[in-house]
Amino acid sequence: MDLTKLNVNGTLVIPPAPLMFFLDLTERCNLKCWFCYKDQASHTSKDAEYQNIEQILDIMHQGGCNEVIYLGGEPTIHPQLFRILNHADSLGMTQCIVSNGQIIDEGFAERLSAIRNFEIGISIHSCKESIQNEIAGNNASFSRIKRAICALEKYGVSWYSQTSLIQANYSELNQLHHFLKIYGRPTRMDLSRMVVGTHLPDQFLTEAEYTEVFKQIDRLNTEELPVRIEAFPRCWLKQIAEEHDLNYAKLKAAVRPCYAWTAQISIDIHGNVRLCPTGGKIAGNILKEGFDGVWSKNRIIQDFQTFQWQRPECLECDDFAFCIGACKMTCSESSPTPDCYIVKGGMANACHYQK
């Protein structure tokens, strides 16, 4: 996603079309990860119908959005995955799958290598086999991830790692970073948070523990293997950098912003457009209302894009065009976050977009 299109001389510019979109392919999954924002009770046997997926891809392409990230459930188990990839490829789209890697072998990787402008994120939450398997709820998870990485490397498929930060793994980022550099050539190491859910509330991190995460990032060789972490407000980053003598420029570069309903949309298997892949208020249906009906005319999205829900100090900040108050989904009772994260980021005022 080309973020330079959004920041013009320090001013946030809403693009005429989203720069990218998330698309759920299925609600099925072959693992039971602790942190999953889709509670196990919500997992169904439903796949998105191929005709609907093709229509969504066509609608977004015709609207001017040509970058898609496929999610689930586990997107690789959709029975018509390669038909989907080939159709989007024929439209010239840039594609990415976020996968747990469990079914990726050499044959699968070879087929992926034929897709142009493609990348895959492999979810790995610990470089320690016992911890990875416990988190994923499957004793073969770690060995299958290694098989997937080897296969992707063999066929030259671009990949990156995706790690959800929880109590069980947040202190071992250096070891995971080292493991990834030795085992393959990922383009980056992506870090995300537990966002919603009450099934394992003891796995959320505190503000002090998030600070420890950024201390680790500060020490890592991010030129050799870049680290990216999702949506923290820059004012909070600057505060912890000053308090702990960290490299603010390095931390700032590691944080990727949240452009929900600003430059990206999330579409579920039914075509509903949500604030975030993790959930949030529904702002229309892309299959029923079309591109303009959702992006240009939906009153919920139009209201959101006025940013009147934001705190004045966020709107006045020089970094607002990049930060936008950070994550909009981590301010509910089921998603505890650092005090500064809520107060300085202004998410408390975005709660009405969550449901």
Side-chain angles (χ1 to χ4, degrees):
M1 185 162 68
D2 184 4
L3 301 182
T4 61
K5 295 179 180 180
L6 305 178
N7 192 332
V8 179
N9 298 322
T11 300
L12 178 67
V13 177
I14 305 296
L19 301 184
M20 61 83 66
F21 65 105
F22 297 100
L23 179 58
D24 286 348
L25 296 187
T26 181
E27 292 181 342
R28 294 186 296 130
C29 190
N30 48 9
L31 292 181
K32 297 180 179 179
C33 298
W34 289 356
F35 53 81
C36 185
Y37 56 77
K38 292 189 175 179
D39 192 280
Q40 303 305 322
S42 70
H43 283 179
T44 70
S45 59
K46 294 181 180 178
D47 297 320
E49 295 182 9
Y50 174 76
Q51 291 77 6
N52 289 343
I53 296 172
E54 182 179 285
Q55 185 179 350
I56 290 169
L57 292 170
D58 289 343
I59 289 171
M60 296 303 292
H61 169 67
Q62 292 163 9
C65 181
N66 286 294
E67 183 171 339
V68 57
I69 298 178
Y70 302 110
L71 304 173
E74 170 51 38
T76 61
I77 63 177
H78 191 285
Q80 300 192 70
L81 174 67
F82 285 95
R83 187 179 178 189
I84 294 166
L85 296 177
N86 287 328
H87 179 71
D89 193 24
S90 73
L91 299 175
M93 284 186 155
T94 296
Q95 302 180 83
C96 177
I97 294 174
V98 179
S99 171
N100 59 33
Q102 298 301 287
I103 69 167
I104 298 174
D105 55 16
E106 289 193 4
F108 198 100
E110 184 177 16
R111 295 181 72 184
L112 290 178
S113 69
I115 307 297
R116 299 170 299 170
N117 302 316
F118 176 80
E119 187 172 43
I120 186 166
I122 299 297
S123 296
I124 177 169
H125 308 293
S126 177
C127 58
K128 299 175 181 176
E129 184 170 10
S130 60
I131 296 177
Q132 168 64 37
N133 290 346
E134 186 176 6
I135 290 173
N138 188 303
N139 289 333
S141 173
F142 188 74
S143 61
R144 290 172 179 168
I145 287 171
K146 291 197 296 182
R147 179 188 66 181
I149 292 173
C150 288
L152 296 171
E153 290 283 340
K154 178 176 180 178
Y155 287 97
V157 179
S158 178
W159 69 281
Y160 65 93
S161 68
Q162 179 74 48
T163 302
S164 291
L165 296 171
I166 56 178
Q167 288 287 337
N169 66 11
Y170 82 93
S171 62
E172 61 170 43
L173 298 183
N174 182 64
Q175 297 97 306
L176 180 58
H177 194 263
H178 181 69
F179 170 85
L180 292 169
K181 288 189 297 181
I182 289 178
Y183 216 81
R185 297 182 299 277
T187 60
R188 65 190 181 278
M189 174 178 169
D190 255 16
L191 306 175
S192 58
R193 299 178 310 280
M194 278 182 68
V195 177
V196 293
T198 57
H199 48 296
L200 282 175
D202 63 333
Q203 287 297 312
F204 287 105
L205 302 188
T206 65
E207 181 176 352
E209 288 161 343
Y210 279 122
T211 300
E212 290 302 315
V213 167
F214 281 101
K215 286 181 180 179
Q216 292 178 77
I217 293 174
D218 185 68
R219 295 191 295 265
L220 293 174
N221 183 348
T222 53
E223 292 185 5
E224 187 176 357
L225 175 57
V227 177
R228 297 291 179 264
I229 184 169
E230 60 184 4
F232 280 80
R234 286 189 170 183
C235 53
W236 184 73
L237 288 182
K238 184 175 292 185
Q239 174 185 313
I240 64 168
E242 292 173 351
E243 291 177 353
H244 300 279
D245 194 26
L246 306 179
N247 185 333
Y248 174 60
K250 186 176 184 179
L251 301 188
K252 185 169 65 172
V255 174
R256 50 185 171 84
C258 170
Y259 283 117
W261 286 355
T262 307
Q264 67 190 43
I265 59 174
S266 302
I267 305 173
D268 69 16
I269 67 168
H270 306 291
N272 296 317
V273 175
R274 294 186 177 273
L275 174 64
C276 175
T278 66
K281 182 174 285 189
I282 294 175
N285 186 289
I286 200 78
L287 292 169
K288 297 176 181 178
E289 300 167 45
F291 181 85
D292 287 336
V294 169
W295 186 248
S296 303
K297 299 176 181 178
N298 184 274
R299 294 185 65 180
I300 296 174
I301 291 180
Q302 287 181 321
D303 175 63
F304 185 91
Q305 291 178 352
T306 67
F307 301 109
Q308 293 181 9
W309 50 269
Q310 269 286 10
R311 297 174 66 88
E313 52 264 44
C314 282
L315 295 173
E316 296 167 2
C317 178
D318 291 339
D319 279 331
F320 179 73
F322 185 90
C323 180
I324 317 183
C327 180
K328 316 301 183 293
M329 286 298 293
T330 50
C331 56
S332 66
E333 291 182 1
S334 64
S335 298
T337 56
D339 291 342
C340 289
Y341 195 5
I342 294 174
V343 176
K344 293 189 177 181
M347 274 73 73
N349 294 326
C351 284
H352 65 286
Y353 289 107
Q354 290 190 0
K355 297 180 180 180

